[in-house]
Amino acid sequence: MKSQIIATIAALVPYVLGFPHLADFPEYRSLAGLSQEEVRAVTRQYGGNMPGPQPLPPPITDTSGKLVNDAAHPFKPLRPGDIRGPCPGLNTLASHGYLPRNGVVTPAQIITAVQEGYNLGHQFASFLCYTAFIADGNHLTNLMTIGQNTTTHGQPTTGINTHGHFEGDASMSRDDAFLGNNFNFNETLFDAFQEAADAVGGGLLTFPAVVLNRQIRNNDSIARNPQFTFESPRFLGAIAESAFIFAMFVSNQTVDNQTPLTIDAVRHFFDIHRLPDGFHRRQGPFEFPLIENLTFSIVDLAGAKPGRNNGVNNFIVDEQDLGTVRFCYVYQKQVNFTATLYPDPTPELRAAIKQNLLTYYQALGKPECEQFFPFGR
Ligand code: HEM
Ligand SMILES: *[C@@H]1O[C@H](CO)[C@@H](O)[C@H](O)[C@H]1NC(C)=O
Ligand SMILES: *[C@@H]1O[C@H](CO)[C@@H](O)[C@H](O)[C@H]1NC(C)=O
Ligand SMILES: *[C@@H]1O[C@H](CO)[C@@H](O)[C@H](O)[C@H]1NC(C)=O
Ligand SMILES: *[C@@H]1O[C@H](CO)[C@@H](O)[C@H](O)[C@H]1NC(C)=O
Ligand SMILES: *[C@@H]1O[C@H](CO)[C@@H](O)[C@H](O)[C@H]1NC(C)=O
Ligand SMILES: *[C@@H]1O[C@H](CO)[C@@H](O)[C@H](O)[C@H]1NC(C)=O
């Protein structure tokens, strides 16, 4: 008994004395910004639960369009502490149990769940997941959250909410971080779907309506957010997300994209994080060539350009971003950005990030893109 107490006190001493602000550091929180000593203090609290980087999971084998709002995956309301965030796709998967309902996930769980639930293609799912994970995940515990807006000891905890990492401005249903809450549903912004559908879609979210919605959202941020930032990875991310609703929020979708998308269906995902009744995932994977085609079509039709505001209504185009092979550039920017988040990692953390960056390049799946090794080969 006495020796147990002494052992407990001994285990607490290093961080209680040196790093009280790191007590109860959640195992899913990113280690970015910590010194080597802080990383060591934090990892002592994990109790050995540090699986580190893991390989990509295999693709699912059955990619038919099938009922996914089924008895095995019932919607359940949030319990206290469950984490949701800015992604309607992931929020909905968590609320139906395709992802852990608490919102704390591994990359492999995300990659498998988005295939199972929506038939997002394995390659693009892996790429998207690692674009978020390398910046917002914990490289040692292999965990990330799909949101997280609480604070631990006065510090905001990270997750995919983290502004400027992957989350960004001109979202369809969430406010710009400069203007307000960047992860909760916002009805005022959502109204732009109805406006676009009424103007050009006969009340439905046809492809032209999705394009017009993107224009409305971009123009709103240009007009109201003096710090509006719309550069890769956010630039293509935002536009791919417009393509996502068109290609994956329609029940039983075929490759021809002929089924009309309703405002009601979209609201289910964006607002209440719930699959519509009888929802069937799309028929066949939504994968890279098709995603690029749809995304670049929206870029062209919406006249969207990468860049940033220097004061309201003063949008400066980023010419380098505009003129570069696009998904290669997203990868390159995100790798470089991640390097800035970890200027002085412990050897163990460095090895883990290096491995996850190799996995990220594999997830990109484009041998024509130059590979970068800021943490060594
Ligand atoms: C594969 C892993 C995924 C990750 C890591 C991810 C991450 C994110 C993040 C960080 C955002 C916030 C961007 C922003 O608006 O600032 C976001 C938005 C969004 N995501 Fe996901 N997502 C994933 C998969 C999906 C899937 C499978 C779908 C649809 C089936 C989806 C649909 C959306 C949509 C529509 C938005 C835009 C929300 C808005 O603009 O209001 N995502 N996602
Ligand atoms: C955090 O997010 C949840 C769910 O999105 C929301 O209900 C809650 O009000 C948010 N809390 C804060 C402090 O913003
Ligand atoms: C929703 O967004 C609008 C426009 O930015 C903002 O004025 C409003 O306060 C937001 N509403 C909530 C509940 O955050
Ligand atoms: C957005 O702004 C651009 C540039 O001013 C303009 O050409 C376009 O018509 C605007 N779109 C909408 C929907 O307001
Ligand atoms: C899904 O679409 C296919 C044709 O593409 C059709 O045969 C099938 O009946 C549809 N299923 C449902 C549930 O609507
Ligand atoms: C790309 O999209 C256009 C329409 O936007 C379509 O005509 C073309 O066939 C598509 N190409 C591929 C490879 O999907
Ligand atoms: C990324 O970093 C590499 C080398 O560290 C550099 O050559 C490249 O220009 C950077 N790219 C971007 C987009 O910052």
Side-chain angles (χ1 to χ4, degrees):
M1 183 61 192
K2 195 174 168 192
S3 67
Q4 263 179 14
I5 293 172
I6 290 170
T8 306
I9 292 171
L12 288 171
V13 161
Y15 63 78
V16 170
L17 282 186
F19 306 99
H21 64 292
L22 297 177
D24 304 323
F25 191 101
E27 68 278 11
Y28 49 74
R29 181 171 162 192
S30 159
L31 298 167
L34 301 189
S35 69
Q36 293 201 12
E37 275 312 300
E38 288 173 321
V39 168
R40 291 195 183 97
V42 162
T43 52
R44 276 195 285 270
Q45 300 172 59
Y46 295 151
N49 180 26
M50 283 196 282
Q54 299 294 313
L56 297 177
I60 61 170
T61 49
D62 169 13
T63 58
S64 63
K66 65 173 186 187
L67 182 72
V68 288
N69 189 1
D70 59 10
H73 301 93
F75 172 82
K76 288 187 189 168
L78 291 180
R79 303 159 304 185
D82 284 351
I83 295 168
R84 298 293 181 269
C87 177
L90 299 180
N91 289 342
T92 303
L93 291 174
S95 290
H96 281 269
Y98 282 96
L99 283 173
R101 292 180 187 267
N102 66 0
V104 178
V105 299
T106 67
Q109 285 172 332
I110 289 190
I111 294 164
T112 301
V114 299
Q115 294 174 81
E116 289 285 357
Y118 304 119
N119 244 333
L120 182 59
H122 176 266
Q123 187 84 55
F124 196 82
S126 302
F127 174 68
L128 191 59
C129 179
Y130 272 84
T131 302
F133 187 77
I134 61 166
D136 291 334
N138 184 313
H139 291 269
L140 295 179
T141 61
N142 197 41
L143 294 172
M144 179 168 77
T145 80
I146 62 169
Q148 189 59 303
N149 58 329
T150 58
T151 55
T152 308
H153 296 272
Q155 298 178 329
T157 56
T158 52
I160 66 168
N161 281 1
T162 314
H163 179 64
H165 286 194
F166 184 27
E167 191 288 323
D169 294 336
S171 305
M172 292 173 273
S173 69
R174 270 68 173 165
D175 223 338
D176 291 4
F178 178 83
L179 298 173
N181 183 302
N182 69 331
F183 48 81
N184 282 347
F185 177 78
N186 182 308
E187 186 75 46
T188 311
L189 305 178
F190 186 80
D191 284 347
F193 279 124
Q194 190 73 56
E195 185 187 336
D198 288 345
V200 296
L204 293 167
L205 284 167
T206 56
F207 192 62
V210 169
V211 170
L212 179 59
N213 172 262
R214 184 39 54 211
Q215 273 195 355
I216 294 171
R217 296 297 308 121
N218 288 4
N219 285 6
D220 183 37
S221 288
I222 289 172
R224 291 195 299 129
N225 179 356
Q227 300 179 4
F228 176 46
T229 305
F230 207 57
E231 295 169 340
S232 292
R234 176 59 186 156
F235 172 64
L236 278 193
I239 293 168
E241 284 154 15
S242 292
F244 274 21
I245 69 167
F246 187 68
M248 289 189 287
F249 287 171
V250 176
S251 185
N252 202 28
Q253 173 87 292
T254 69
V255 281
D256 305 324
N257 283 330
Q258 282 161 346
T259 331
L261 176 60
T262 65
I263 305 269
D264 178 63
V266 169
R267 176 186 288 284
H268 266 74
F269 294 94
F270 277 89
D271 186 0
I272 57 176
H273 309 154
R274 184 171 189 159
L275 295 167
D277 286 343
F279 185 81
H280 286 55
R281 71 184 185 194
R282 57 175 285 113
Q283 299 176 34
F286 189 48
E287 188 53 288
F288 251 119
L290 191 56
I291 293 173
E292 282 168 305
N293 190 345
L294 214 51
T295 303
F296 298 151
S297 297
I298 298 174
V299 169
D300 290 343
L301 293 168
K305 292 194 164 50
R308 57 171 64 222
N309 254 358
N310 182 12
V312 293
N313 285 318
N314 188 21
F315 188 76
I316 316 289
V317 173
D318 180 330
E319 297 293 342
Q320 191 189 359
D321 203 332
L322 184 67
T324 316
V325 184
R326 293 161 179 185
F327 280 99
C328 295
Y329 193 68
V330 168
Y331 156 81
Q332 186 188 138
K333 283 275 293 272
Q334 197 69 343
V335 166
N336 284 10
F337 175 66
T338 300
T340 69
L341 293 176
Y342 296 94
D344 186 27
T346 60
E348 194 181 22
L349 181 56
R350 169 184 291 274
I353 303 168
K354 185 173 98 175
Q355 183 59 46
N356 280 327
L357 292 187
L358 295 177
T359 305
Y360 185 36
Y361 185 74
Q362 185 196 346
L364 175 64
K366 290 179 179 296
E368 70 273 22
C369 300
E370 188 185 345
Q371 190 169 5
F372 291 90
F373 304 92
F375 295 90
R377 284 170 188 261

